[in-house]
Amino acid sequence: MENIEYHRLAASEDDGSVPKETKISPWIGRKSKWKKCFRKISYYRRSKLNSFMTLLCVVTFCCCCLVALVLAIVFSGKSKSATYDETPWFRPQYHYTPKKNWMNDPNGLIYHNGEYELYFQYNPYGSHWGHMSWGHAKSKDMVHWEQQPVALMEADGVMIFSGSAVVDTNNTSGFGNKTHPPLVALYTGFVESDKIQDQRVAYSNDNGMSWINYENNPVLDRHSENFRDPKVFWHPPTKSWCMLAVLAQKHTILFYTSVNLIDWTLASEFIPSPSTGVSIEGNWECPDLFPLKVIGAANQIKWILKVDTSGNRTEMSRTGAQYFIGEFNGTHFVAGGKSQWLDSGMDFYASNTWNNRYSHDGRMIIIGWACNWYYSENIPTSPFRGMMSIPRVLSLLPYGDGLRLAQQPIQELQSLRGDPITFAPNPVVTAEGYAVQFNTNHVRSLEIFLNVTVLSRDELKEFGLKLMKGPSQELVIGWRSDDQSFFINRTASGIVDMAPHFPVVNCTQVPLNQDGRMWAQIFLDWCSVEVFVNGGVVTFTDLFFPDTNQDIMEFYWTGAKDAITYDLGGYEMTSIWKKAKN
Ligand code: FRU
């Protein structure tokens, strides 16, 4: 009997995952301190032993809990996000995706108490658009995200459409106090019964975790459809809050001002002249307005007004963000030239900037929904549908005859750089030119550098990078010499039948610099590619859905061997998600 008690006690030290007798045997016959200790215990009367064992179990359990708690506190914030291995194939490894369900626009982007808040258009009930609510994720570095409970839930027949949030530092709204300033969100309420879109307020006094709807909502109601997507920010010179919202089908941006985020006064309307070249196809959505210093011009500040155009969803027309560079005085925006496109790919939409422009590190950071309304409902991912782009730092610089926005990936992404990648040293001769290859060996999250100097344009037809190349598929990113255009060709990139216009070639003019040099930083992440050309003065964001056996990455050029010199490199990118245990 004593021996039995001894065995049980020993077994309780283990995890109980194998039969107790098997686990115990190594202890028998060993003259360890433990054994002596257990022998002593065996002299106890049975009842005493039972209570001792109970006590020991309780103490052991408490110690384990304490250790687990301490480890959780120590590693919180450093640890990777939740395990996201349920859809091993198309799940991006370093772009934000919700664990499951539908996601579109980024909303309510604020930096507060050392954390970046990312709210987003979210369907808590499924992987198609509907029941729109604000999902929520938090991050300390905009790279590792932790999904949070839904922040603002559709209720009483009102969906929560896109909008923005601010830290009301001086408590102008009265929803908090100056020691604990409230976070205030302005969003569009979509009233399902009559399709009215109005602007509503919600506030949070617990760091954006829970939100309370203002009791007298809506705060702005034109009794109109298609009035949406309020962007709010503080304008120090006029000491007031500014809001811009779109009349989506009138291609008009309305400017409002307020002193308390509740009472809003219409200040002006912006309707650009057709001579700006602006696109008025489809809806205008998700406006944004922010100041930037002009690089190289001492103290010159310009304001950028950005608005997305959804294009005509039944035919092929351009979608994405277009922007104006101009002046803003707190009430009126005046455009200073032609409109320009922010991204030249198919999948950068509803982008918005973090509202920490005067408080944090001075960077203007933008993030977009990496998708396109043409085919967003048919994207072959599961159980999630929708991903964010890489967060990008914006700058404004002289370009050609005017100014141009440049976008660069946030430097925090460098923390994910893993093993370097090395292409074969010598090119092989192909049917039309030359190529060097790299076998990605199933690694589909890469950062790639491409640095090319064109020595003879006349002797060069094209150069480029083929990604996820296999027997019959490839995505081609390249530059053509004859019309000096940079392009992405996803016509044969894998699953392309989501919509008639998914298999396309996008291109835009990128003239050679005087020194003939052209460079690109390329981010591949399972089902997306983001390309930053010549320091980000041109970017492409495109989704693609290749088969599993596409492991070749190839740099190629057609024309004379000596038409170019090149330098290739990059890194494998480590995943931001924890690996699931097998
Ligand atoms: C842009 C958009 C917004 C709207 C939201 C609805 O993608 O259409 O205009 O507020 O999505 O989900």
Side-chain angles (χ1 to χ4, degrees), residues 356-380:
N356 48 294
R357 55 195 62 181
Y358 299 115
S359 59
H360 185 35
D361 58 11
R363 289 184 297 174
M364 190 62 67
I365 298 167
I366 196 163
I367 191 168
W369 172 45
C371 206
N372 189 313
W373 280 115
Y374 276 125
Y375 42 73
S376 50
E377 293 274 354
N378 303 327
I379 292 300

mmCIF file of all heavy atoms in Angstrom, residues 356-380:
data_model
loop_
_atom_site.group_PDB
_atom_site.id
_atom_site.type_symbol
_atom_site.label_atom_id
_atom_site.label_comp_id
_atom_site.label_asym_id
_atom_site.label_seq_id
_atom_site.Cartn_x
_atom_site.Cartn_y
_atom_site.Cartn_z
ATOM 1 N N ASN A 356 -1.977 60.673 -35.674
ATOM 2 C CA ASN A 356 -1.035 61.064 -34.617
ATOM 3 C C ASN A 356 -0.068 62.125 -35.149
ATOM 4 O O ASN A 356 1.053 62.240 -34.718
ATOM 5 C CB ASN A 356 -0.245 59.852 -34.134
ATOM 6 C CG ASN A 356 0.320 59.050 -35.272
ATOM 7 O OD1 ASN A 356 -0.428 58.462 -36.045
ATOM 8 N ND2 ASN A 356 1.619 59.045 -35.419
ATOM 9 N N ARG A 357 -0.570 62.918 -36.083
ATOM 10 C CA ARG A 357 0.304 63.797 -36.843
ATOM 11 C C ARG A 357 1.024 64.850 -36.016
ATOM 12 O O ARG A 357 2.110 65.251 -36.351
ATOM 13 C CB ARG A 357 -0.498 64.469 -37.948
ATOM 14 C CG ARG A 357 -1.722 65.191 -37.425
ATOM 15 C CD ARG A 357 -2.663 65.519 -38.556
ATOM 16 N NE ARG A 357 -3.137 64.295 -39.207
ATOM 17 C CZ ARG A 357 -3.959 64.310 -40.241
ATOM 18 N NH1 ARG A 357 -4.361 65.448 -40.754
ATOM 19 N NH2 ARG A 357 -4.373 63.197 -40.769
ATOM 20 N N TYR A 358 0.431 65.321 -34.927
ATOM 21 C CA TYR A 358 1.107 66.362 -34.149
ATOM 22 C C TYR A 358 1.701 65.832 -32.855
ATOM 23 O O TYR A 358 2.291 66.568 -32.103
ATOM 24 C CB TYR A 358 0.127 67.493 -33.820
ATOM 25 C CG TYR A 358 -0.420 68.145 -35.062
ATOM 26 C CD1 TYR A 358 -1.758 68.062 -35.356
ATOM 27 C CD2 TYR A 358 0.428 68.826 -35.946
ATOM 28 C CE1 TYR A 358 -2.266 68.640 -36.505
ATOM 29 C CE2 TYR A 358 -0.066 69.392 -37.094
ATOM 30 C CZ TYR A 358 -1.413 69.292 -37.375
ATOM 31 O OH TYR A 358 -1.897 69.856 -38.509
ATOM 32 N N SER A 359 1.486 64.575 -32.556
ATOM 33 C CA SER A 359 1.838 64.124 -31.211
ATOM 34 C C SER A 359 2.956 63.095 -31.171
ATOM 35 O O SER A 359 3.663 62.988 -30.202
ATOM 36 C CB SER A 359 0.614 63.499 -30.559
ATOM 37 O OG SER A 359 0.179 62.411 -31.347
ATOM 38 N N HIS A 360 3.138 62.329 -32.201
ATOM 39 C CA HIS A 360 4.029 61.177 -32.085
ATOM 40 C C HIS A 360 5.394 61.487 -32.696
ATOM 41 O O HIS A 360 6.005 62.482 -32.344
ATOM 42 C CB HIS A 360 3.323 59.974 -32.715
ATOM 43 C CG HIS A 360 4.055 58.691 -32.582
ATOM 44 N ND1 HIS A 360 4.793 58.383 -31.471
ATOM 45 C CD2 HIS A 360 4.164 57.634 -33.424
ATOM 46 C CE1 HIS A 360 5.323 57.189 -31.632
ATOM 47 N NE2 HIS A 360 4.964 56.720 -32.811
ATOM 48 N N ASP A 361 5.867 60.672 -33.627
ATOM 49 C CA ASP A 361 7.224 60.849 -34.134
ATOM 50 C C ASP A 361 7.273 61.626 -35.443
ATOM 51 O O ASP A 361 8.291 61.649 -36.115
ATOM 52 C CB ASP A 361 7.907 59.487 -34.291
ATOM 53 C CG ASP A 361 7.135 58.574 -35.230
ATOM 54 O OD1 ASP A 361 6.205 59.066 -35.911
ATOM 55 O OD2 ASP A 361 7.448 57.381 -35.293
ATOM 56 N N GLY A 362 6.170 62.260 -35.818
ATOM 57 C CA GLY A 362 6.178 63.123 -36.998
ATOM 58 C C GLY A 362 5.990 62.384 -38.310
ATOM 59 O O GLY A 362 5.898 63.017 -39.361
ATOM 60 N N ARG A 363 5.933 61.062 -38.267
ATOM 61 C CA ARG A 363 5.733 60.332 -39.528
ATOM 62 C C ARG A 363 4.257 60.357 -39.916
ATOM 63 O O ARG A 363 3.386 60.237 -39.065
ATOM 64 C CB ARG A 363 6.169 58.870 -39.381
ATOM 65 C CG ARG A 363 7.649 58.680 -39.265
ATOM 66 C CD ARG A 363 8.002 57.202 -39.222
ATOM 67 N NE ARG A 363 7.452 56.514 -38.060
ATOM 68 C CZ ARG A 363 7.521 55.197 -37.871
ATOM 69 N NH1 ARG A 363 8.111 54.426 -38.768
ATOM 70 N NH2 ARG A 363 7.019 54.635 -36.790
ATOM 71 N N MET A 364 3.993 60.515 -41.192
ATOM 72 C CA MET A 364 2.621 60.416 -41.689
ATOM 73 C C MET A 364 2.497 59.008 -42.272
ATOM 74 O O MET A 364 3.135 58.693 -43.276
ATOM 75 C CB MET A 364 2.395 61.486 -42.764
ATOM 76 C CG MET A 364 0.971 61.628 -43.178
ATOM 77 S SD MET A 364 -0.120 62.147 -41.844
ATOM 78 C CE MET A 364 0.448 63.817 -41.521
ATOM 79 N N ILE A 365 1.696 58.171 -41.625
ATOM 80 C CA ILE A 365 1.660 56.754 -42.009
ATOM 81 C C ILE A 365 0.285 56.393 -42.548
ATOM 82 O O ILE A 365 -0.734 56.684 -41.923
ATOM 83 C CB ILE A 365 2.020 55.867 -40.804
ATOM 84 C CG1 ILE A 365 3.451 56.201 -40.371
ATOM 85 C CG2 ILE A 365 1.902 54.386 -41.157
ATOM 86 C CD1 ILE A 365 3.842 55.651 -39.046
ATOM 87 N N ILE A 366 0.291 55.768 -43.695
ATOM 88 C CA ILE A 366 -0.963 55.413 -44.362
ATOM 89 C C ILE A 366 -1.065 53.891 -44.461
ATOM 90 O O ILE A 366 -0.047 53.192 -44.564
ATOM 91 C CB ILE A 366 -1.021 56.083 -45.762
ATOM 92 C CG1 ILE A 366 -2.444 56.070 -46.325
ATOM 93 C CG2 ILE A 366 -0.048 55.446 -46.746
ATOM 94 C CD1 ILE A 366 -2.653 57.042 -47.477
ATOM 95 N N ILE A 367 -2.301 53.394 -44.417
ATOM 96 C CA ILE A 367 -2.527 51.954 -44.613
ATOM 97 C C ILE A 367 -3.798 51.818 -45.447
ATOM 98 O O ILE A 367 -4.695 52.669 -45.352
ATOM 99 C CB ILE A 367 -2.655 51.219 -43.251
ATOM 100 C CG1 ILE A 367 -2.624 49.701 -43.415
ATOM 101 C CG2 ILE A 367 -3.909 51.645 -42.502
ATOM 102 C CD1 ILE A 367 -2.462 48.944 -42.096
ATOM 103 N N GLY A 368 -3.874 50.805 -46.285
ATOM 104 C CA GLY A 368 -5.062 50.650 -47.129
ATOM 105 C C GLY A 368 -5.612 49.237 -47.041
ATOM 106 O O GLY A 368 -4.934 48.312 -46.560
ATOM 107 N N TRP A 369 -6.819 49.087 -47.484
ATOM 108 C CA TRP A 369 -7.422 47.748 -47.640
ATOM 109 C C TRP A 369 -6.868 47.201 -48.952
ATOM 110 O O TRP A 369 -7.062 47.820 -50.020
ATOM 111 C CB TRP A 369 -8.941 47.911 -47.698
ATOM 112 C CG TRP A 369 -9.733 46.685 -48.037
ATOM 113 C CD1 TRP A 369 -9.572 45.436 -47.536
ATOM 114 C CD2 TRP A 369 -10.853 46.626 -48.937
ATOM 115 N NE1 TRP A 369 -10.528 44.588 -48.065
ATOM 116 C CE2 TRP A 369 -11.327 45.298 -48.924
ATOM 117 C CE3 TRP A 369 -11.511 47.555 -49.742
ATOM 118 C CZ2 TRP A 369 -12.413 44.883 -49.700
ATOM 119 C CZ3 TRP A 369 -12.590 47.144 -50.499
ATOM 120 C CH2 TRP A 369 -13.032 45.821 -50.477
ATOM 121 N N ALA A 370 -6.160 46.078 -48.882
ATOM 122 C CA ALA A 370 -5.533 45.538 -50.090
ATOM 123 C C ALA A 370 -6.555 44.691 -50.840
ATOM 124 O O ALA A 370 -6.538 43.454 -50.762
ATOM 125 C CB ALA A 370 -4.295 44.733 -49.719
ATOM 126 N N CYS A 371 -7.450 45.358 -51.537
ATOM 127 C CA CYS A 371 -8.459 44.646 -52.313
ATOM 128 C C CYS A 371 -9.156 45.620 -53.264
ATOM 129 O O CYS A 371 -8.757 46.784 -53.375
ATOM 130 C CB CYS A 371 -9.472 43.976 -51.391
ATOM 131 S SG CYS A 371 -10.240 42.536 -52.178
ATOM 132 N N ASN A 372 -10.169 45.133 -53.929
ATOM 133 C CA ASN A 372 -10.838 45.915 -54.958
ATOM 134 C C ASN A 372 -12.299 45.462 -54.976
ATOM 135 O O ASN A 372 -12.574 44.256 -54.978
ATOM 136 C CB ASN A 372 -10.163 45.598 -56.303
ATOM 137 C CG ASN A 372 -10.616 46.502 -57.405
ATOM 138 O OD1 ASN A 372 -11.806 46.747 -57.581
ATOM 139 N ND2 ASN A 372 -9.663 47.006 -58.167
ATOM 140 N N TRP A 373 -13.223 46.440 -54.967
ATOM 141 C CA TRP A 373 -14.636 46.073 -54.902
ATOM 142 C C TRP A 373 -15.089 45.228 -56.100
ATOM 143 O O TRP A 373 -16.114 44.559 -56.032
ATOM 144 C CB TRP A 373 -15.514 47.320 -54.797
ATOM 145 C CG TRP A 373 -15.580 47.878 -53.405
ATOM 146 C CD1 TRP A 373 -15.112 49.092 -52.981
ATOM 147 C CD2 TRP A 373 -16.146 47.252 -52.247
ATOM 148 N NE1 TRP A 373 -15.351 49.252 -51.642
ATOM 149 C CE2 TRP A 373 -15.990 48.136 -51.163
ATOM 150 C CE3 TRP A 373 -16.766 46.018 -52.018
ATOM 151 C CZ2 TRP A 373 -16.434 47.834 -49.880
ATOM 152 C CZ3 TRP A 373 -17.210 45.721 -50.733
ATOM 153 C CH2 TRP A 373 -17.038 46.626 -49.685
ATOM 154 N N TYR A 374 -14.336 45.243 -57.202
ATOM 155 C CA TYR A 374 -14.720 44.430 -58.368
ATOM 156 C C TYR A 374 -14.876 42.955 -58.024
ATOM 157 O O TYR A 374 -15.701 42.254 -58.567
ATOM 158 C CB TYR A 374 -13.633 44.470 -59.441
ATOM 159 C CG TYR A 374 -13.674 45.648 -60.363
ATOM 160 C CD1 TYR A 374 -12.545 46.440 -60.509
ATOM 161 C CD2 TYR A 374 -14.803 45.949 -61.113
ATOM 162 C CE1 TYR A 374 -12.543 47.520 -61.359
ATOM 163 C CE2 TYR A 374 -14.803 47.030 -61.959
ATOM 164 C CZ TYR A 374 -13.674 47.821 -62.085
ATOM 165 O OH TYR A 374 -13.667 48.877 -62.920
ATOM 166 N N TYR A 375 -13.947 42.464 -57.185
ATOM 167 C CA TYR A 375 -13.908 41.009 -56.958
ATOM 168 C C TYR A 375 -13.721 40.645 -55.490
ATOM 169 O O TYR A 375 -13.494 39.476 -55.167
ATOM 170 C CB TYR A 375 -12.784 40.368 -57.792
ATOM 171 C CG TYR A 375 -11.493 41.155 -57.810
ATOM 172 C CD1 TYR A 375 -10.670 41.202 -56.710
ATOM 173 C CD2 TYR A 375 -11.101 41.856 -58.951
ATOM 174 C CE1 TYR A 375 -9.492 41.932 -56.727
ATOM 175 C CE2 TYR A 375 -9.932 42.595 -58.986
ATOM 176 C CZ TYR A 375 -9.123 42.630 -57.869
ATOM 177 O OH TYR A 375 -7.967 43.358 -57.880
ATOM 178 N N SER A 376 -13.831 41.631 -54.599
ATOM 179 C CA SER A 376 -13.521 41.364 -53.187
ATOM 180 C C SER A 376 -14.349 40.211 -52.604
ATOM 181 O O SER A 376 -13.864 39.459 -51.764
ATOM 182 C CB SER A 376 -13.745 42.625 -52.360
ATOM 183 O OG SER A 376 -15.013 43.162 -52.636
ATOM 184 N N GLU A 377 -15.585 40.049 -53.065
ATOM 185 C CA GLU A 377 -16.453 38.998 -52.506
ATOM 186 C C GLU A 377 -16.045 37.605 -52.985
ATOM 187 O O GLU A 377 -16.521 36.612 -52.448
ATOM 188 C CB GLU A 377 -17.914 39.252 -52.920
ATOM 189 C CG GLU A 377 -18.525 40.497 -52.307
ATOM 190 C CD GLU A 377 -19.126 40.226 -50.925
ATOM 191 O OE1 GLU A 377 -19.166 39.057 -50.512
ATOM 192 O OE2 GLU A 377 -19.538 41.197 -50.267
ATOM 193 N N ASN A 378 -15.207 37.546 -54.018
ATOM 194 C CA ASN A 378 -14.856 36.236 -54.596
ATOM 195 C C ASN A 378 -13.417 35.796 -54.330
ATOM 196 O O ASN A 378 -12.938 34.838 -54.917
ATOM 197 C CB ASN A 378 -15.060 36.274 -56.123
ATOM 198 C CG ASN A 378 -16.471 36.648 -56.478
ATOM 199 O OD1 ASN A 378 -17.395 36.299 -55.754
ATOM 200 N ND2 ASN A 378 -16.653 37.376 -57.560
ATOM 201 N N ILE A 379 -12.745 36.532 -53.458
ATOM 202 C CA ILE A 379 -11.358 36.180 -53.160
ATOM 203 C C ILE A 379 -11.306 34.794 -52.501
ATOM 204 O O ILE A 379 -12.048 34.538 -51.555
ATOM 205 C CB ILE A 379 -10.782 37.242 -52.178
ATOM 206 C CG1 ILE A 379 -10.641 38.601 -52.880
ATOM 207 C CG2 ILE A 379 -9.473 36.824 -51.578
ATOM 208 C CD1 ILE A 379 -9.740 38.575 -54.054
ATOM 209 N N PRO A 380 -10.430 33.887 -52.985
ATOM 210 C CA PRO A 380 -10.473 32.492 -52.507
ATOM 211 C C PRO A 380 -9.737 32.263 -51.186
ATOM 212 O O PRO A 380 -8.863 31.410 -51.102
ATOM 213 C CB PRO A 380 -9.798 31.731 -53.647
ATOM 214 C CG PRO A 380 -8.820 32.704 -54.202
ATOM 215 C CD PRO A 380 -9.431 34.067 -54.042
#
